[in-house]
Amino acid sequence: MASKVIHAIYTDDDILLQAVKQVRAGRYHIAEIYTPFPVHGLDKAMGLEPTRLAITSFLYGLVGLAVAIVMMNYMMIEDWPQDIGGKPSFSFLSNLPAFVPIIFELTVFFAAHLMVITFYMRSKLWPFKEAENPDVRTTDDHFLMEIDVEDHDVNQLSKFLYDTGALEINLIDNK
């Protein structure tokens, strides 16, 4: 993490989106952007890679499918087979149509719940965690772009950011 960052505050999402493109074209490093609502296209403008959470969701669904099949086979075929409605209990495949709703529900259950847990762990959103929002106005109607100063001239960078439409610029010393 850089020791000094600049917080540039914007009031419009379209101006912010254009500013992000200009800042990236100027070869400055955007550390983070805080917005009161999701801004469509901001991830592509920042050059972020696509998320791989969909792949994990599919894998979690496969885990749920496997758990459902093993659970249904054990409970209904091996452990305590019963004749319910004249259906034979000697084979999993012959009872598969009756098991489909339970298999589907457990697949969705595992995928959904494990995805939420993965998202919170990946985002480092622990219970009782303090908010990392640097400016309370970003929860209402302002947008904040955090740029690493590194070896750049602060005055030149500030002028550049004002030219992109920034309303306010603050130099912050991280410790």
Side-chain angles (χ1 to χ4, degrees), residues 10-74:
Y10 297 86
T11 56
D12 187 73
D13 56 336
D14 292 328
I15 295 173
L16 172 73
L17 203 54
Q18 287 298 339
V20 167
K21 292 174 184 175
Q22 292 173 359
V23 168
R24 289 209 53 223
R27 302 278 187 209
Y28 296 110
H29 179 259
I30 300 172
E32 188 66 67
I33 295 182
Y34 299 91
T35 64
F37 55 83
V39 177
H40 181 69
L42 186 60
D43 52 344
K44 288 184 182 177
M46 289 180 65
L48 299 177
E49 295 180 10
T51 181
R52 294 184 301 264
L53 286 176
I55 297 169
T56 59
S57 177
F58 178 73
L59 294 176
Y60 293 152
L62 289 179
V63 169
L65 177 73
V67 168
I69 290 172
V70 169
M71 178 188 78
M72 296 297 291
N73 186 53
Y74 176 74

Side-chain angles (χ1 to χ4, degrees), residues 1 27 34-35 39 79 101 105 126 130 145 147 167:
M1 182 188 291
R27 302 278 187 209
Y34 299 91
T35 64
V39 177
D79 185 40
E105 291 297 332
W126 315 115
E130 291 289 325
M145 184 187 320
I147 301 168
L167 183 69

Side-chain angles (χ1 to χ4, degrees), residues 76-89:
M76 300 300 288
I77 305 301
E78 294 177 15
D79 185 40
W80 197 339
Q82 296 181 21
D83 187 3
I84 301 172
K87 294 179 182 170
S89 299

